[in-house]
Amino acid sequence: MKEKIKYVGAMLICFIAVLFMQMPVLADDGVPATAWRDNAAAAFAGGSGTAADPYLITDGAQLAKVAKDVEDNVTVYKDVYFRLENDIDLSAHRWNPIGVWKWYENGASENKTFAGFLDGNGKTITGLIVDERTEKNSAGLFGNIGDNAGAATNVGAKDLNIVDARIYATDEGMERSSSAILAGYVMANFGHTIRFDNISVSGTITNTKVGKTMISGGLIGEVCRATVDNCQADVTIKGGDNTGGFVGIDASSTYTNCKVTGKVTGLWAIGGFVGYAQEADPRTMSTFKNCVAEVDIVASDWRAGGFSGYMEKGKASSCAALGDVTSSVTGWNPKVGGFVGEIGTKDATGSAILDKCHAAGKVTAASPDYKAGGFVGTHTEGTYTECSFDSEKNPGLAAYGEGDEAAVPVEAGTTTAVSGNLCEDIYGGHAWESDYTVDVAPTCGTSGSESIHCSRCGNSKSAREIPATGSHDWSLIHRRQSEWLDLSMNNAVSVLQQNLQLRFLHLKMQELPEQGHPGLKHPEIHRPEQQQQAVLLHRQIQMLHSQVQRIIQA
């Protein structure tokens, strides 16, 4: 029996040991202690790396091979194609970004570029945990994507989902650092572009700001010359500067039909979509088309806006800022606005262009000395066409904090009016209901109205009159009067009956013997005159009840 117990105990210990061997070792903040670079595969699942026959990736180890090969200078994978064949869980180890970009405070740098193309094939990556607080690489699934000094022509990613990622970064000891969920650093040379299509990311980014510049964005951190279409981000970003919900710093890129939701908390140049928009090439400014930022902004330094913190060189058309903007700055000009914190640059005509852009959130600024703007905090230079902000949510604010009415011709509209602008300029038109809705009900002497409503914004069209009913509904009045009379008379009868019955109870006799009245229950009713009084009261009650019933029936 003892030998059997020892055997079972040994088996149990082995089982527990195997279980713990399979579990990732985690640091205090939940970051695995082991790294994917030490667990990379030796080969891909198939393919030759061409567009027609891409390398096939079926698990995290094979994806880690791409990162390890670039980091070890084996190859940059110039114009090489990869395709995910399965959903991939990366939670077993800490992820090492694909590509390396480090720019140290002393001027030294490391630049190892991934120059290939990843087809996500509609698959989803979960468990992405990137922690670059020690190694200081640009943080993200990709650390550095580039065109290899212009040599590569097909670089980027498409059709990929990244869910619930966790990114940690710092700028300690660095000239500048960058972080994002998809790519920390993206760079194309003049005449080239990096493409990102149909990509969705979600998660949290936590930055430790102790050095010079900590750039961060939900999809991309720092980027130059990219083309981004139909991408989405749902993020919470904390810390850093030059930070946007979608992209941190952008130069000469184009974004079309992109959306971001979430919250961004940071220092300066903090925007719902882009932190700092500029240009890398003359007359090739950052461009945003039909993009939406539904992001709450909390800034503790200057230049904060619902769409862009600082749009130095940028063009936005049919774009919207739907989130609230809050600035805690009190000691200097916060430059805070519902759409953009500061716009334009001095001595550069046409440096910023806004067309059919709208701010629908609330702007709150702590500064007692400087005004916030419902649309723009500080107007330095730029043009506005058919733009608006919600003045109903921002009573007392002009469209601009610094500027003048002639330079900032932005509509101050009600919530309904701005919602209507969003429908027309952002969502492609109103969502009109098929049936009429009664706006004002008609009465017997007054006409009413009805119209077709938009289910999205509440605006209406095709209003038409509803004729007055033309006659009084006397039957209803009679019914109401009758009901009132019934109730009143019944209540009155009930009260009178209770009072009379109380008096009658003192005089009522169960029976009246001729002499001595021995059958009376009440000891005080002994005489014939008391008997007569009781009988009289009883008759009065009966008469009153009959009269009330005749009144009610009439």
Side-chain angles (χ1 to χ4, degrees):
M1 183 66 179
K2 290 182 178 179
E3 292 298 323
K4 196 171 188 179
I5 293 174
K6 288 181 181 179
Y7 174 76
V8 172
M11 291 295 292
L12 182 61
I13 291 171
C14 289
F15 173 77
I16 294 173
V18 171
L19 180 65
F20 276 95
M21 287 174 63
Q22 293 176 343
M23 293 176 62
V25 179
L26 303 178
D28 292 340
D29 53 11
V31 176
T34 54
W36 271 108
R37 68 161 62 92
D38 301 321
N39 294 274
F44 300 113
S48 60
T50 65
D53 185 32
Y55 284 126
L56 304 181
I57 295 175
T58 61
D59 58 27
Q62 293 166 10
L63 187 62
K65 172 178 168 51
V66 182
K68 182 174 174 59
D69 287 348
V70 174
E71 184 178 10
D72 292 346
N73 291 316
V74 174
T75 176
V76 299
Y77 286 112
K78 182 178 78 71
D79 290 328
V80 173
Y81 289 81
F82 301 85
R83 188 175 73 211
L84 299 187
E85 295 298 294
N86 299 322
D87 293 339
I88 294 179
D89 182 3
L90 296 177
S91 62
H93 310 289
R94 173 174 55 86
W95 180 252
N96 305 111
I98 301 172
V100 177
W101 169 246
K102 300 179 183 180
W103 185 4
Y104 297 98
E105 201 170 34
N106 62 10
S109 64
E110 295 181 43
N111 184 7
K112 300 175 181 181
T113 299
F114 170 76
F117 193 91
L118 175 64
D119 178 0
N121 195 26
K123 305 303 181 184
T124 299
I125 293 176
T126 57
L128 174 64
I129 303 172
V130 180
D131 187 354
E132 290 298 327
R133 289 174 290 188
T134 300
E135 297 183 14
K136 315 292 177 59
N137 189 14
S138 293
L141 178 70
F142 295 92
N144 182 0
I145 302 181
D147 62 359
N148 193 31
T153 57
N154 295 292
V155 184
K158 70 173 184 176
D159 300 335
L160 176 66
N161 305 302
I162 303 175
V163 177
D164 294 334
R166 286 192 289 134
I167 313 295
Y168 301 91
T170 182
D171 63 351
E172 182 180 11
M174 311 301 288
E175 183 67 23
R176 61 202 294 163
S177 291
S178 55
S179 63
I181 293 175
L182 179 66
Y185 183 77
V186 177
M187 169 64 72
N189 282 266
F190 180 77
H192 294 258
T193 187
I194 312 295
R195 290 200 59 86
F196 299 104
D197 299 309
N198 194 32
I199 296 173
S200 173
V201 302
S202 68
T204 61
I205 302 173
T206 304
N207 302 302
T208 303
K209 166 68 179 170
V210 292
K212 289 186 175 181
T213 305
M214 183 66 251
I215 305 161
S216 192
L219 191 82
I220 307 171
E222 183 175 6
V223 55
C224 180
R225 305 184 186 96
T227 302
V228 186
D229 293 341
N230 301 307
C231 293
Q232 297 183 3
D234 181 13
V235 293
T236 298
I237 304 176
K238 298 178 181 179
D241 52 62
N242 296 286
T243 296
F246 199 85
V247 55
I249 290 182
D250 179 83
S252 299
S253 299
T254 299
Y255 302 83
T256 306
N257 296 328
C258 295
K259 182 177 181 180
V260 57
T261 57
K263 183 176 181 178
V264 176
T265 303
L267 284 82
W268 61 83
I270 307 299
F273 195 93
V274 54
Y276 179 14
Q278 53 182 321
E279 66 180 14
D281 312 311
R283 296 175 300 280
T284 310
M285 61 183 68
S286 300
T287 303
F288 310 88
K289 303 175 183 177
N290 198 42
C291 293
V292 177
E294 191 173 355
V295 178
D296 289 335
I297 298 298
V298 179
S300 57
D301 211 319
W302 70 347
R303 293 174 174 161
F307 191 87
S308 175
Y310 181 27
M311 190 171 286
E312 181 185 38
K313 298 285 185 72
K315 179 180 180 180
S317 57
S318 296
C319 292
L322 307 182
D324 297 334
V325 182
T326 303
S327 169
S328 60
V329 173
T330 57
W332 56 90
N333 188 350
K335 300 189 176 185
V336 55
F339 191 85
V340 57
E342 182 174 4
I343 186 170
T345 185
K346 292 181 179 179
D347 304 321
T349 303
S351 60
I353 302 169
L354 301 183
D355 177 48
K356 296 181 179 178
C357 293
H358 309 285
K362 179 176 175 60
V363 181
T364 304
S367 174
D369 302 315
Y370 297 93
K371 276 277 191 180
F375 191 83
V376 54
T378 296
H379 169 83
T380 301
E381 199 283 330
T383 60
Y384 312 80
T385 305
E386 297 183 41
C387 298
S388 69
F389 79 97
D390 191 327
S391 61
E392 192 173 337
K393 291 181 182 176
N394 297 283
L397 292 187
Y400 52 88
E402 280 188 305
D404 60 73
E405 190 170 352
V408 189
V410 174
E411 173 194 355
T414 64
T415 299
T416 300
V418 174
S419 296
N421 293 339
L422 293 173
C423 270
E424 294 171 359
D425 297 335
I426 310 299
Y427 302 124
H430 293 284
W432 297 116
E433 296 174 346
S434 56
D435 298 326
Y436 275 83
T437 297
V438 175
D439 299 313
V440 179
T443 65
C444 21
T446 306
S447 61
S449 64
E450 61 183 1
S451 61
I452 299 292
H453 284 217
C454 173
S455 60
R456 188 162 42 221
C457 71
N459 277 270
S460 61
K461 70 172 184 176
S462 305
R464 65 187 185 189
E465 182 182 8
I466 304 175
T469 59
S471 61
H472 298 291
D473 189 358
W474 298 115
S475 61
L476 176 62
I477 297 174
H478 289 157
R479 285 197 302 273
R480 295 291 169 82
Q481 287 178 336
S482 178
E483 290 169 0
W484 177 85
L485 181 61
D486 288 349
L487 180 62
S488 300
M489 294 305 296
N490 285 330
N491 288 341
V493 169
S494 176
V495 172
L496 287 172
Q497 284 181 331
Q498 290 176 9
N499 290 333
L500 292 172
Q501 284 173 350
L502 286 173
R503 294 180 59 193
F504 178 72
L505 285 173
H506 287 285
L507 302 173
K508 184 179 177 184
M509 298 176 295
Q510 287 188 344
E511 63 180 71
L512 297 172
E514 291 182 1
Q515 294 180 352
H517 312 297
L520 291 174
K521 287 192 173 181
H522 199 290
E524 297 180 0
I525 301 179
H526 296 293
R527 295 186 299 276
E529 56 271 21
Q530 290 176 327
Q531 173 188 353
Q532 292 174 357
Q533 188 177 4
V535 172
L536 180 60
L537 286 171
H538 180 66
R539 290 176 179 171
Q540 288 176 344
I541 291 172
Q542 290 179 326
M543 291 174 62
L544 178 60
H545 185 268
S546 297
Q547 291 174 355
V548 169
Q549 289 299 321
R550 284 196 297 271
I551 293 172
I552 292 173
Q553 292 172 0

